[in-house]
Amino acid sequence: VNTDQSIEQSKIVFPTYEISGESIKEKKGRSSVFTMHFWWARKPLVVSRATILSLLLPAKDFNSKALKNYIGIDKTNKKRAYNFQVKEKYKFLKKLYKTRIGTETPTILDPFSGGGSISYEGLRLGLNVISADYNPVAYNIQKATLEYPKTQGIILYERMKNTIETLISILNERIKQFYPYNDDIIPQAYLYAWNVNCLYCSFNTPIVNNWVLKQKKVKGSRTYDWVYLVPKIQNSKIVYEIVYERCEKPNKLIPGNCIRGNAKCIKCNNIIPNQHIVKDISSKEREDLICIVGGRKEGKGKIYYLPTELDIRTIEDIQTLNNSIIDKYLPRSEMPNRIIASSKYLKQWYRLLNQRQRVFFSNFLDVALDLCKTNQNKYGEEWGKITATYLSLLIGKCVDFNNRGSSWAAKEGVRNSLAFRRPSMAWDHIEVNPFANIGSGTFHSLAKNLLDGIKTAVNDLDGTPGTVEVIFSSIFDLKLNSQVDLVLTDPPYGDDVQYSELSQFFYSWESFLLCEYYDYLPKRIPTDEDLSVNNTDRKIDFVKFGLALAFERINSFIKDKGQFALFFAHGKYDTWAFVIDALREGRFQINATYPVHTESKDNVIALKKASFMTSVIIYSTKRHHNNKHAYIEDLKDEIVQKIRESVPVYLKYGLKESDLSMVALGPALTVLTQYNEIKSISGPINFEKILDLTQKPLFDEILGIHGVADLDGATKFYLYSRISNIKELDHDSLQLLSKSLNFESSILLQNELIEEIEGRNNKIYQINNFKRKIEKNKEKSMIDYIHICMQLYLDNNYTAKQFWERTDQQSLNRETVKSVLNVLKLGFNVGKKLANRIDLEATIANEIIN
Ligand SMILES: C[S@@+](CC[C@H](N)C(=O)[O-])C[C@H]1O[C@@H](n2cnc3c(N)ncnc32)[C@H](O)[C@@H]1O
């Protein structure tokens, strides 16, 4: 190989915004491979593909137009990038791989592979792929999405389609009678409310979050089509009215009666405390069927109706059904009580299901196990396993959409319980009629998702030149036959997803099938080595230690000239510090860092998260020399110099806001990770110190380019926010900026340069423009004076001349004010282009200068 990987990595300029834009679109309309089964924190395929290519292509080719073509984000590709067929490009790609890596078919390893996005794209790009995970559910997802589609081809789709059709028709015969029609209306979902005996009036009151069944905007108007329930008490019994309205705000709608775990009795209005609710639900498990939503086979639209006598009778009958199959298959293990809040109401996994759901799912398993055997006999040994894999995915998917945590969304669809990332009991919840062939969440629609996914995966992976190996192993036990060229991965960073405990929700059902055919899979999901924090036996120190150990192992898996890149999506400074330490301890040297966004900024949660909460790709290579230690103070000049050199490149690529801070870390970390240990004369090194070191030169450089480097801190802050187009920022970012630019944040608050707006966990500040309120005689910084003059210019129709006279009176230097106005003017061109977003401040600045 004639390329030094570390130099190549540092020369790559990652197309952050193009990839981010595409990945946000991908999240909205995801690949059907993703919908085969739920997994947490799946990396968008386009991000995985682009990042793998950044490790494979020589920098000059990666940064070329051709790259967009390989990724599928150039104009010639009319589809979404994840649909783009990379196969057509192999001929060119192979040559480029050879140039940079030395082989036409490099090998890539993802040791924390989860849902398998990185491995999937690795295969599509023609690589040999090794994909490992500690979790049996993740392992099974990867068998289904990577290995079998690649090795079996389209026959896989055909056989699974037949098997699933047989499954549904047998279940149909066995239990369809438990889902009666209402004349010709097919029930799609049954809506329930938990029912608790009131402590004060002994009334059995339902508990719901809200009574809305439908809220859909009427096109071109401000009104909505509403459907909702109104509960009433008649003769000491509760009855429901279904109300249909087209209006802005519904007239009779009353709020739900659940208030943070407590509930208001519908009859006496007293508040029933949570403790009592827990006791009542856990001992009696009583729920009311309050409404049914269905439709007609030929007709459009949903029909809401109150349960018929037959519906009520069916539910009563099923409680007493004597069925040995239910006994055989119910998962009786307990939910982890600290992690799944509902476990205090419903202790065991099977209690997330009502009796009819238990009947359905136990029969599902019973028939599925038979079908695995049938396929094994009919098609050969391996097909028992293959069938178990897909039918286990299907049951997991169906349970997710059909348990006491699934709910009815007002846009008229079934919301799966893991839409909230962790299984939980919902106050108003639904039960799906699995046999309905209308609407979402039913067996038909979920089986279709699964089969579409198989077809797509076969189409993408069949005939790809590389090999695939899916391994069920913790990183700490992983053994490879030979070293790999690349490792790209997305490890857990002690984050809030406890993969092993949460996935037991799926595995409690799926294991019945999987353990029968994969004799090495455990009955329960192992938890000991899961590198996520559960705050009992796995605390943050365990993850810190584990990650360092994991990186050391990764070092041993990689060839000497190989590369290691990882995604890092944590906004907390201390997590950054331990990731950097873990890399240093694992003997890696960082060569570059690049941000990539996978959340849309329209997303409220994303907006309120720290702005540093973006995915960052950290590129590294093995550190071969053994530089003992250095003092951070001694490295300062080298770091500043490196940042200076790189800022113009970043700006040229249009990087903005905190993305700039992220890339500026790259050069600093390159210098710092050349050593085994970094010390500081002023106490221990932490990530804030590193940020301090990088942010000041970064901002000075950016402001210097605009000729405004030597101003007071508040003015610099405001101009920086203009240049980088920041309208809001969170507390951590404000602290960081205040340190780097040397100002007190209280000054900004006093004159409303910033103003606190509501934030979830972290305070969020909005940055105001020149129209803000500036208290008389409390002007402190240049930007305060300039803003006062701009307000006068606007209000009193001052001429530009008068503006300058006024700033002269305040003894402001004309040249400096001009530089400031030049920065404020930057929004002017944008304003001109987008007439509806004219930036008044920029327009005024422009008028005054001219
Ligand atoms: C962030 S997820 C990976 C997501 C993946 N990139 C995707 O696109 O779906 C991290 C994964 O690490 C796995 N994991 C946790 N501890 C592990 C260990 N000790 N060894 C291997 N895998 C582990 C978890 O099961 C989880 O699937």
Side-chain angles (χ1 to χ4, degrees):
V1 190
N2 52 15
T3 322
D4 180 335
Q5 300 298 352
S6 57
I7 295 176
E8 283 296 298
Q9 286 186 344
S10 62
K11 281 200 283 187
I12 297 278
V13 179
F14 195 82
T16 289
Y17 294 121
E18 278 130 320
I19 300 297
S20 302
E22 186 61 28
S23 85
I24 288 161
K25 287 180 193 152
E26 182 179 323
K27 280 217 157 174
K28 287 183 183 157
R30 42 187 35 208
S31 161
S32 52
V33 177
F34 278 10
T35 50
M36 287 166 76
H37 196 280
F38 180 90
W39 193 253
W40 297 261
R42 283 179 186 262
K43 272 279 156 251
L45 295 177
V46 65
V47 174
S48 307
R49 182 184 308 164
T51 314
I52 299 175
L53 282 173
S54 69
L55 297 167
L56 290 172
L57 305 188
K60 71 178 176 27
D61 292 286
F62 184 80
N63 294 329
S64 73
K65 273 193 194 150
L67 170 84
K68 290 188 188 159
N69 187 252
Y70 303 139
I71 301 177
I73 51 171
D74 70 340
K75 288 198 179 108
T76 60
N77 180 35
K78 300 273 179 273
K79 299 180 195 161
R80 290 267 68 84
Y82 65 80
N83 278 326
F84 174 69
Q85 281 310 336
V86 199
K87 284 178 189 168
E88 295 156 19
K89 309 286 171 194
Y90 283 155
K91 220 171 105 198
F92 308 101
L93 286 173
K94 278 194 316 199
K95 278 193 204 142
L96 296 172
Y97 298 166
K98 177 101 181 150
T99 316
R100 179 151 174 201
I101 311 291
T103 165
E104 291 188 346
T105 327
T107 302
I108 188 169
L109 160 71
D110 179 356
F112 298 100
S113 45
S117 293
I118 293 168
S119 306
Y120 192 82
E121 286 303 319
L123 283 175
R124 289 177 88 186
L125 286 166
L127 314 187
N128 298 322
V129 167
I130 305 172
S131 198
D133 201 285
Y134 178 52
N135 190 300
V137 177
Y139 168 76
N140 188 45
I141 294 174
Q142 294 185 40
K143 286 290 235 192
T145 49
L146 307 171
E147 184 181 318
Y148 298 141
K150 180 165 165 58
T151 53
Q152 306 301 330
I154 199 65
I155 193 91
L156 175 69
Y157 171 78
E158 284 150 18
R159 288 183 179 167
M160 284 310 113
K161 187 165 180 291
N162 285 337
T163 308
I164 288 171
E165 279 166 5
T166 315
L167 172 73
I168 186 78
S169 84
I170 300 176
L171 287 172
N172 214 5
E173 268 170 43
R174 282 197 192 181
I175 46 180
K176 195 177 175 205
Q177 73 274 19
F178 297 131
Y179 302 87
Y181 281 22
N182 179 1
D183 286 336
D184 62 340
I185 306 173
I186 310 163
Q188 178 195 350
Y190 302 87
L191 278 71
Y192 293 87
W194 283 108
N195 179 306
V196 169
N197 187 263
C198 174
L199 205 55
Y200 306 95
C201 70
S202 296
F203 185 71
N204 281 340
T205 185
I207 309 180
V208 299
N209 260 328
N210 80 72
W211 296 104
V212 178
L213 302 169
K214 173 180 179 178
Q215 181 190 357
K216 270 190 175 169
K217 201 158 183 5
V218 177
K219 252 193 189 164
S221 114
R222 285 166 59 175
T223 56
Y224 293 86
D225 276 332
W226 294 89
V227 182
Y228 54 93
L229 288 169
V230 180
K232 286 179 195 154
I233 297 173
Q234 279 174 9
N235 306 327
S236 293
K237 271 191 152 187
I238 194 150
V239 289
Y240 294 97
E241 182 193 356
I242 302 176
V243 180
Y244 295 81
E245 272 184 319
R246 177 170 283 190
C247 54
E248 264 182 68
K249 278 203 180 129
N251 292 311
K252 293 202 226 163
L253 179 64
I254 58 163
N257 61 337
C258 172
I259 312 138
R260 274 179 248 107
N262 305 319
K264 199 190 219 177
C265 172
I266 292 276
K267 190 172 176 200
C268 71
N269 280 337
N270 275 312
I271 302 291
I272 311 168
N274 183 258
Q275 232 178 352
H276 177 76
I277 299 176
V278 171
K279 218 163 129 197
D280 203 279
I281 293 184
S282 60
S283 59
K284 300 189 189 123
E285 225 178 274
R286 213 175 29 223
E287 54 186 3
D288 286 347
L289 175 61
I290 53 175
C291 180
I292 300 176
V293 50
R296 290 197 175 83
K297 201 164 182 197
E298 306 304 335
K300 264 189 173 176
K302 305 283 174 208
I303 303 166
Y304 296 86
Y305 60 95
L306 298 178
T308 62
E309 267 177 36
L310 181 60
D311 286 313
I312 306 284
R313 208 171 45 234
T314 312
I315 291 183
E316 281 165 6
D317 289 351
I318 210 155
Q319 307 301 327
T320 53
L321 184 79
N322 190 2
N323 190 332
S324 58
I325 293 175
I326 313 178
D327 279 347
K328 200 163 157 193
Y329 295 110
L330 283 192
R332 290 191 170 74
S333 56
E334 290 183 9
M335 299 188 222
N337 57 6
R338 281 176 180 246
I339 288 168
I340 297 182
S342 353
S343 68
K344 66 177 174 180
Y345 304 92
L346 307 164
K347 217 171 186 176
Q348 296 92 351
W349 287 109
Y350 78 90
R351 292 178 72 193
L352 276 175
L353 305 186
N354 68 24
Q355 188 64 10
R356 184 162 50 186
Q357 288 166 325
R358 290 172 202 167
V359 171
F360 174 74
F361 286 111
S362 50
N363 274 281
F364 185 127
L365 281 177
D366 196 52
V367 181
L369 278 161
D370 275 352
L371 290 173
C372 295
K373 208 166 279 156
T374 313
N375 282 357
Q376 191 173 28
N377 294 337
K378 203 156 133 195
Y379 306 125
E381 193 60 30
E382 204 185 359
W383 284 89
K385 264 186 177 177
I386 296 179
T387 312
T389 277
Y390 290 101
L391 295 186
S392 66
L393 291 191
L394 188 55
I395 195 167
K397 227 175 133 56
C398 289
V399 173
D400 185 17
F401 279 81
N402 195 4
N403 72 74
R404 286 167 162 170
S406 325
S407 48
W408 185 250
K411 46 181 195 196
E412 299 199 294
V414 176
R415 192 189 290 118
N416 59 324
S417 52
L418 281 170
F420 299 109
R421 289 167 75 82
R422 51 185 63 224
S424 175
M425 170 195 108
W427 294 112
D428 31 308
H429 51 276
I430 55 140
E431 176 196 0
V432 171
N433 167 11
F435 301 104
N437 43 10
I438 48 161
S440 55
T442 62
F443 188 99
H444 283 274
S445 99
L446 300 178
K448 182 175 179 320
N449 286 162
L450 182 73
L451 290 168
D452 285 351
I454 299 180
K455 205 186 235 175
T456 306
V458 169
N459 189 31
D460 288 347
L461 306 183
D462 190 18
T464 51
T467 54
V468 60
E469 200 182 337
V470 179
I471 306 177
F472 168 58
S473 169
S474 161
I475 177 98
F476 305 113
D477 298 323
L478 188 61
K479 288 181 190 66
L480 302 185
N481 294 330
S482 52
Q483 286 180 312
V484 300
D485 301 289
L486 316 168
V487 172
L488 172 61
T489 196
D490 173 24
Y493 293 98
D495 47 22
D496 61 351
V497 180
Q498 295 85 16
Y499 298 93
S500 47
E501 283 93 352
L502 295 180
S503 55
Q504 189 63 39
F505 165 75
F506 292 113
Y507 202 60
S508 65
W509 293 97
E510 296 173 7
S511 57
F512 282 100
L513 287 154
L514 294 174
C515 294
E516 189 74 23
Y517 286 90
Y518 297 84
D519 54 8
Y520 48 89
L521 289 185
K523 288 263 182 301
R524 277 185 69 79
I525 296 192
T527 58
D528 295 356
E529 295 177 21
D530 181 354
L531 286 176
S532 63
V533 171
N534 68 1
N535 280 328
T536 50
D537 55 331
R538 303 192 314 267
K539 301 215 163 105
I540 192 72
D541 280 345
F542 159 81
V543 176
K544 273 187 198 178
F545 176 75
L547 209 60
L549 207 64
F551 289 176
E552 253 178 58
R553 289 191 63 78
I554 288 175
N555 191 305
S556 72
F557 297 144
I558 303 180
K559 290 178 185 163
D560 276 354
K561 294 204 166 196
Q563 304 174 71
F564 176 30
L566 65 149
F567 291 103
F568 173 59
H570 224 293
K572 295 247 175 72
Y573 295 165
D574 47 351
T575 320
W576 260 103
F578 84 63
V579 171
I580 296 167
D581 278 349
L583 279 165
R584 204 199 334 267
E585 279 171 39
R587 283 171 294 114
F588 286 103
Q589 175 181 327
I590 297 174
N591 301 311
T593 49
Y594 262 93
V596 57
H597 306 268
T598 50
E599 291 292 337
S600 154
K601 286 219 173 176
D602 313 335
N603 173 334
V604 193
I605 302 171
L607 251 180
K608 303 224 157 139
K609 273 187 204 162
S611 47
F612 278 84
M613 212 128 181
T614 188
S615 270
V616 179
I617 310 164
I618 304 180
Y619 292 91
S620 66
T621 40
K622 285 189 178 191
R623 191 179 66 232
H624 294 292
H625 50 78
N626 212 5
N627 293 342
K628 286 238 161 48
H629 65 252
Y631 280 88
I632 197 163
E633 289 77 7
D634 291 339
L635 301 174
K636 201 171 162 187
D637 290 347
E638 195 182 342
I639 290 174
V640 171
Q641 184 54 30
K642 281 215 179 242
I643 291 176
R644 290 230 163 101
E645 284 162 15
S646 32
V647 168
V649 182
Y650 304 147
L651 288 176
K652 192 173 144 219
Y653 275 87
L655 288 168
K656 292 191 298 199
E657 302 177 32
S658 45
D659 295 336
L660 270 169
S661 308
M662 284 296 122
V663 283
L665 275 175
L669 296 179
T670 312
V671 176
L672 296 173
T673 51
Q674 281 168 7
Y675 298 88
N676 291 357
E677 195 191 350
I678 296 290
K679 295 181 177 176
S680 166
I681 32 179
S682 61
I685 276 281
N686 55 22
F687 183 63
E688 278 180 63
K689 250 184 200 149
I690 299 176
L691 270 180
D692 261 2
L693 201 69
T694 55
Q695 301 313 289
K696 178 133 180 29
L698 170 70
F699 296 132
D700 283 351
E701 192 61 29
I702 296 170
L703 295 173
I705 288 175
H706 293 279
V708 285
D710 295 322
L711 299 170
D712 63 89
T715 307
K716 276 210 253 185
F717 162 78
Y718 189 74
L719 295 183
Y720 174 73
S721 73
R722 293 284 307 189
I723 293 167
S724 48
N725 201 14
I726 311 178
K727 306 225 164 36
E728 281 174 12
L729 81 175
D730 59 83
H731 183 73
D732 293 350
S733 306
L734 182 67
Q735 290 314 98
L736 177 70
L737 281 172
S738 82
K739 271 194 201 150
S740 318
L741 299 174
N742 198 15
F743 63 80
E744 291 286 335
S745 41
S746 57
I747 292 186
L748 309 190
L749 281 164
Q750 188 180 45
N751 278 330
E752 293 188 12
L753 195 56
I754 58 171
E755 171 184 346
E756 193 181 325
I757 53 172
E758 184 229 354
R760 268 203 177 172
N761 304 320
N762 197 350
K763 283 184 193 161
I764 306 276
Y765 300 94
Q766 167 184 303
I767 303 167
N768 291 328
N769 67 11
F770 75 103
K771 287 189 186 164
R772 67 200 159 98
K773 199 165 114 234
I774 302 167
E775 276 198 53
K776 224 172 177 184
N777 301 327
K778 290 223 170 128
E779 314 90 331
K780 287 243 165 59
S781 52
M782 177 181 266
I783 196 68
D784 292 341
Y785 294 114
I786 293 181
H787 276 168
I788 291 173
C789 295
M790 287 178 100
Q791 287 181 20
L792 286 165
Y793 177 87
L794 183 74
D795 295 343
N796 302 336
N797 280 329
Y798 262 30
T799 59
K801 194 165 160 250
Q802 285 165 310
F803 173 95
W804 289 114
E805 281 165 11
R806 178 88 196 202
T807 49
D808 285 348
Q809 267 174 26
Q810 308 284 2
S811 320
L812 302 181
N813 176 306
R814 275 202 180 208
E815 278 315 300
T816 318
V817 174
K818 222 179 218 169
S819 307
V820 171
L821 290 176
N822 266 320
V823 173
L824 297 181
K825 189 183 112 169
L826 288 176
F828 181 68
N829 288 334
V830 180
K832 262 203 332 207
K833 262 195 243 154
L834 304 164
N836 57 348
R837 269 185 40 197
I838 293 217
D839 182 330
L840 194 58
E841 187 169 7
T843 312
I844 293 178
N846 187 51
E847 284 171 16
I848 292 169
I849 292 177
N850 296 320

